[in-house]
Amino acid sequence: MNIGNLHIDGFAALAPMAGVADRAFREICRGYGAAFTESEMISAKALSMGDKKSYELMHITNGERPTGIQLFGNSPEVIEKAVKSAETENPDFIDFNFGCPAPKIAGNGSGSALLKTPDVIGEILKSAYSVTDKPITAKIRIGWDNETKNAVKTATTIEKNGAVAITVHGRTRSQYYSGEADWNIIKQVKESVSIPVIGNGDVTSREIAKQRLEQSGVDAIMIGRGAFGNPWIFRETVQYLQNGICIQKPTNEEKYETILKHLGLEIEEKGENIAVKEMRKHISAYTKSMPDSSSFRSKINTMDTAEEVRKCLKEYFAQ
């Protein structure tokens, strides 16, 4: 598919998960076939005020491209300043999150709160386009709650105001991440707009990915929690879509090498002290369901140096 003038190869992208999909993990997933990636969600207001941490979140490496910078906010004027800041990192596109359900985001009138006022979403997109020629995309949920499932109206407003692709998470804000994603409404969105639609929600295997693509007719899917600890899901999905079978499942040796690479990328990005702590959750996810993984994770969670972690990994995978 094309996101504006940007051609995308593949049908499965990595979702921009806060605290998980940092630059290191995005590079890992891109290496295993993720069609594109996005930054962790960044506050437009914080960017406009020169917040250092927000600027650091925007940094892009070539290993994760094609990639977009994802922003959230509710003020068209602030959005303009944030978009200008985002352009300094030369993203392949800029994405706006109108679907985040977190209370600290929606409670301040951003994220999924904007689903209640699609016209404001339109104004935000207009403001963004007034200061950039980068492709602009948007992410939404199917509505605020069961009584206001307005994804089709929101999507048509988004298309009308210039966005060149839209991602739809198949839950309402009130659902958070409970219940099941409604792919029938995602299908309705696809049928109501002419721009590419990316479906999101409960894609945890190559089989489900194929089923959702066929069921909804979307142009691509976005995988979030299904990729945590399992970046190979992108490779497996590509192979399954192409051949109807999964040719290459990860071996324990590949898992080991991937974890070591991931650790190295985290250290490059954040320094050893922070990287080792960040990797605890990733290593737990990578080794979930492996033999004796519970006691192994307990050991990893007490370690503070990369040398200790590498030694522990080597011993565990040699078993």
Side-chain angles (χ1 to χ4, degrees), residues 98-174:
F98 303 123
C100 179
K104 67 179 181 179
I105 306 297
N108 287 324
S110 297
S112 57
L114 290 164
L115 297 173
K116 295 184 285 188
T117 54
D119 290 344
V120 176
I121 290 177
E123 292 303 314
I124 288 171
L125 295 173
K126 283 182 186 176
S127 295
Y129 264 122
S130 72
V131 294
T132 185
D133 58 2
K134 294 285 185 183
I136 290 177
T137 64
K139 185 176 184 182
I140 65 171
R141 286 186 166 226
I142 59 174
W144 176 257
D145 54 29
N146 285 334
E147 285 67 49
T148 56
K149 292 182 179 179
N150 62 343
V152 170
K153 178 181 179 181
T154 304
T156 54
T157 299
I158 286 171
E159 179 181 32
K160 180 181 176 181
N161 286 280
V164 294
I166 181 170
T167 299
V168 185
H169 182 97
R171 290 182 173 85
T172 63
R173 190 270 178 174
S174 63

Side-chain angles (χ1 to χ4, degrees), residues 87-103:
E87 275 202 314
T88 62
E89 283 292 330
N90 192 29
D92 297 297
F93 61 95
I94 296 173
D95 185 59
F96 286 98
N97 190 313
F98 303 123
C100 179

